[in-house]
Amino acid sequence: MTVGELSEGQILRGILDRLPPSTAPVGPGDDAAVLAVPDGRVVATTDTLVHGPDFRLAWSQPFDLGFKAAAVNLSDVAAMGARPIALLVALAMPDATPVSFVRGFADGLAAACAELAPGCAVEGGDLTVSDTLTIAVTALGSLDGREPVRRSGARAGDGVYVIGELGEAARGLEVLFRRFTDAEGAPVPVDPALLDSAEARALSRQLRPRPPIAEALEAAASGATAMMDVSDGLVLDATRLADTSDVTIAFDSATLGDDPGLALDGGEDHGFLVTFPADAVPLGRRVGTVEPRGAEAVTVDGRAWTGRGGWDPYRDWDAGRG
Amino acid sequence: MTVGELSEGQILRGILDRLPPSTAPVGPGDDAAVLAVPDGRVVATTDTLVHGPDFRLAWSQPFDLGFKAAAVNLSDVAAMGARPIALLVALAMPDATPVSFVRGFADGLAAACAELAPGCAVEGGDLTVSDTLTIAVTALGSLDGREPVRRSGARAGDGVYVIGELGEAARGLEVLFRRFTDAEGAPVPVDPALLDSAEARALSRQLRPRPPIAEALEAAASGATAMMDVSDGLVLDATRLADTSDVTIAFDSATLGDDPGLALDGGEDHGFLVTFPADAVPLGRRVGTVEPRGAEAVTVDGRAWTGRGGWDPYRDWDAGRG
């Protein structure tokens, strides 16, 4: 059975039946949802996953895609210090998409909300037909009376911390492109029996990232001066934070684990880069110091970073395959 | 120059430079926006336009698409009785998309906000690569202390009103499919010189709908018991409202203009279907009465409606063409 054989209403019921019930003043089913944000401010962000540039169905299970589409948006809400309260999910699918895809996708959305942001629910969405499977999620959050933690608040003398993992998701992506492609470079399904435990772990982080949302909210409550989601790689994201705050972020490579290059350049981990003043009780692990703005936005061991600055193997792939 | 030749940051600046400045506590540029909703409730909706099923570049100018993508979402917010305050715009484009497309699209977004919902701004978004041009917009609104106007509030004895036009957008779509396709059925650019004034008007309503947002908010403040955006055709949408309210909507075809069939079945006008109690001062034009629930959700002149119930010529088109 494919989605092309069902009405929009039937597909929608198949999704809503698998999601936790709405707790909003007005949930799914009207022209729009109404959500409670008691302190009078709502945090809002949107992020899209497109088949081809962002994922391959040969590698990602439907559950993985639902989980990841939720997780990457929940992390952006949490990076402001806000508690995620709702997702709106726009799903554009080819008519030939199996109905089982929609069920697995909905289960992944529900699992991500339950595990990463309990109380957050899917409160609205949209279904359309498209030649290209596309998942556009909007996440909304409540600050619960706190001030938002922006990218612009880092001050010289603050400590630089990372909450969450670095480089694991990029390592997983490398496993996919190196081990699970055919002679023409097209993706082939992952055989778990071929993976050692480190590879399996890295692959899981790539396909189903678990941003530490609760810790990010704790960091906001503990006096973080700046925070952001690390999605495009630590150096690239730290450069944005440094430029916005008009400071230099000085990393110490000895704090970055076995493969500092991967930690500095690998994207998609969806951990958090946080700065804390000296008198705060910080969370995460310290990876550097905020310095007055120098010639470089970011330094590693006192020098400019000459790493590859992010690696995106999806970028030039033919979206028609896999 | 195409978007594939520019960085995401360069494309984004080209968009933001053409939009009115943010008035939000935190606008574009951080992990998420922060928006003020003084009464502690936010209204949220999302709607997607996909090249192929929803529009054709041969027919729609980039400005039209920006305008329409904003308008169809603004109307859903207003249908709850809420004032639109912000849009989040996710744009997935092929690398070969001309940069001029992005500029025209941004101008259309800005024009729709200025004309339909002054004070509403684009406060966030996302840019991705896709084989299929896809526009996913989320609109957020503030109830400003009013109760939301839901689909479930219609009561027997209420008058049924329409604010806005009916059938014009469908007439415009028919003009496109009948007059501006080649021998194989592929779309060809519209030559305005070939249109009479009625056709030109209908085409404009199809390509650049202008939902009467201000009147919808006035209806909410004037005691409307139920309201919804008319996007899929009057009968189909009234059926949803009638089912949710557990009533029958009885239309009088004499109130529906020269072509009642088109008014009842034509979609995409993005006017508003509203019910008012007898003691309210209604807005719009009266088209029927709410009756106790009978065998039919909707009647026309006392009988079940046997019209086509919506016409979607895009549905079976090959999305690869035009």
Side-chain angles (χ1 to χ4, degrees):
Chain A
M1 177 85 80
T2 66
V3 299
E5 299 169 60
L6 297 180
S7 71
E8 182 175 352
Q10 289 171 314
I11 302 167
L12 196 60
R13 272 191 297 279
I15 295 176
L16 291 174
D17 285 351
R18 305 181 86 85
L19 297 173
S22 165
T23 57
V26 178
D30 216 308
D31 290 278
V34 180
L35 307 163
V37 279
D39 74 3
R41 294 168 306 169
V42 63
V43 171
T45 183
T46 189
D47 207 1
T48 307
L49 300 181
V50 178
H51 188 247
D54 297 316
F55 65 88
R56 291 304 168 104
L57 286 170
W59 289 335
S60 292
Q61 297 299 313
F63 182 98
D64 296 334
L65 283 173
F67 199 100
K68 185 167 184 169
V72 302
N73 279 283
L74 295 172
S75 70
D76 279 329
V77 167
M80 302 302 290
R83 176 176 55 89
I85 57 169
L87 301 178
L88 306 176
V89 181
L91 192 53
M93 295 179 284
D95 272 340
T97 305
V99 173
S100 61
F101 171 87
V102 178
R103 287 197 293 263
F105 178 79
D107 288 343
L109 287 174
C113 288
E115 179 180 329
L116 304 175
C120 182
V122 177
E123 301 289 2
D126 186 36
L127 293 173
T128 45
V129 180
S130 175
D131 278 357
T132 305
L133 178 60
T134 305
I135 305 159
V137 174
T138 294
L140 303 173
S142 172
L143 286 160
D144 298 336
R146 287 189 298 275
E147 283 310 297
V149 183
R150 303 188 56 172
R151 297 182 180 181
S152 54
R155 294 292 169 260
D158 289 354
V160 178
Y161 293 77
V162 166
I163 300 173
E165 296 172 338
L166 290 174
E168 286 292 322
R171 198 190 303 267
L173 191 59
E174 205 182 341
V175 168
L176 288 173
F177 275 86
R178 187 165 43 82
R179 303 271 303 279
F180 298 101
T181 47
D182 66 16
E184 275 82 47
V188 299
V190 173
D191 179 353
L194 299 178
L195 300 173
D196 66 29
S197 67
E199 289 170 334
R201 177 190 165 82
L203 210 58
S204 151
R205 294 300 184 265
Q206 164 58 224
L207 297 176
R208 210 182 288 183
R210 289 182 163 74
I213 307 285
E215 287 89 336
L217 300 194
E218 213 180 316
S222 299
T225 47
M227 180 156 59
M228 70 182 290
D229 170 42
V230 183
S231 54
D232 292 337
L234 185 61
V235 169
L236 191 52
D237 286 327
T239 299
R240 293 172 178 145
L241 192 149
D243 285 343
T244 311
S245 292
D246 195 26
V247 297
T248 289
I249 303 276
F251 288 114
D252 173 2
S253 69
T255 64
L256 294 172
D258 294 342
D259 189 341
L262 194 66
L264 287 160
D265 286 327
E268 296 198 277
D269 285 302
H270 296 284
F272 298 94
L273 174 65
V274 197
T275 58
F276 286 104
D279 59 356
V281 178
L283 276 90
R285 62 186 196 283
R286 183 156 181 162
V287 294
T289 301
V290 180
E291 298 179 345
R293 178 67 184 212
E296 304 292 336
V298 169
T299 62
V300 178
D301 303 334
R303 291 183 296 277
W305 176 242
T306 55
R308 65 191 172 206
W311 175 61
D312 187 354
Y314 277 114
R315 192 64 182 78
D316 296 317
W317 266 39
D318 167 8
R321 298 185 301 181
Chain B
M1 178 85 79
T2 67
V3 299
E5 300 169 61
L6 298 179
S7 71
E8 184 175 352
Q10 288 172 315
I11 302 167
L12 196 59
R13 273 192 296 280
I15 295 175
L16 291 174
D17 286 351
R18 305 180 87 86
L19 297 174
S22 165
T23 57
V26 178
D30 216 307
D31 291 277
V34 180
L35 307 163
V37 280
D39 74 4
R41 294 169 306 171
V42 63
V43 171
T45 183
T46 189
D47 207 1
T48 307
L49 299 180
V50 178
H51 188 246
D54 296 316
F55 65 88
R56 293 302 168 105
L57 287 170
W59 289 334
S60 291
Q61 298 298 313
F63 182 97
D64 296 333
L65 284 173
F67 198 99
K68 185 167 184 169
V72 302
N73 279 283
L74 295 171
S75 70
D76 279 329
V77 167
M80 301 303 289
R83 174 177 57 88
I85 58 169
L87 300 178
L88 306 177
V89 182
L91 193 52
M93 296 179 284
D95 272 341
T97 305
V99 173
S100 61
F101 171 87
V102 178
R103 287 196 293 264
F105 178 80
D107 288 344
L109 286 174
C113 288
E115 180 180 327
L116 304 175
C120 181
V122 177
E123 301 290 3
D126 185 37
L127 293 173
T128 45
V129 179
S130 175
D131 278 358
T132 305
L133 178 60
T134 305
I135 306 159
V137 175
T138 294
L140 302 173
S142 172
L143 286 160
D144 299 337
R146 286 189 300 274
E147 284 309 297
V149 184
R150 302 188 58 173
R151 296 181 181 182
S152 54
R155 294 291 170 259
D158 288 353
V160 178
Y161 293 78
V162 166
I163 301 173
E165 296 172 339
L166 290 173
E168 287 291 322
R171 198 191 301 268
L173 192 59
E174 204 182 341
V175 167
L176 288 174
F177 274 85
R178 187 164 44 81
R179 304 272 302 279
F180 298 102
T181 46
D182 66 18
E184 276 82 48
V188 299
V190 173
D191 178 353
L194 300 178
L195 300 172
D196 67 29
S197 67
E199 289 169 333
R201 176 188 166 83
L203 210 56
S204 150
R205 293 302 184 263
Q206 164 57 223
L207 298 176
R208 210 182 290 182
R210 290 185 163 71
I213 306 285
E215 287 88 336
L217 299 193
E218 213 180 317
S222 299
T225 47
M227 179 156 62
M228 69 182 292
D229 170 41
V230 184
S231 54
D232 293 337
L234 186 60
V235 169
L236 191 52
D237 286 327
T239 299
R240 293 173 178 144
L241 191 148
D243 285 342
T244 311
S245 293
D246 195 26
V247 297
T248 289
I249 303 276
F251 289 115
D252 173 1
S253 69
T255 65
L256 294 172
D258 294 342
D259 189 342
L262 194 65
L264 287 160
D265 287 327
E268 295 199 278
D269 285 303
H270 296 284
F272 298 93
L273 174 64
V274 197
T275 58
F276 285 103
D279 60 356
V281 179
L283 276 91
R285 60 186 198 281
R286 183 159 182 160
V287 294
T289 301
V290 180
E291 297 180 344
R293 178 67 185 213
E296 305 291 337
V298 169
T299 64
V300 179
D301 303 333
R303 290 182 296 278
W305 176 241
T306 55
R308 67 191 169 205
W311 176 62
D312 187 354
Y314 277 113
R315 192 66 180 77
D316 297 315
W317 267 40
D318 167 10
R321 299 183 303 181

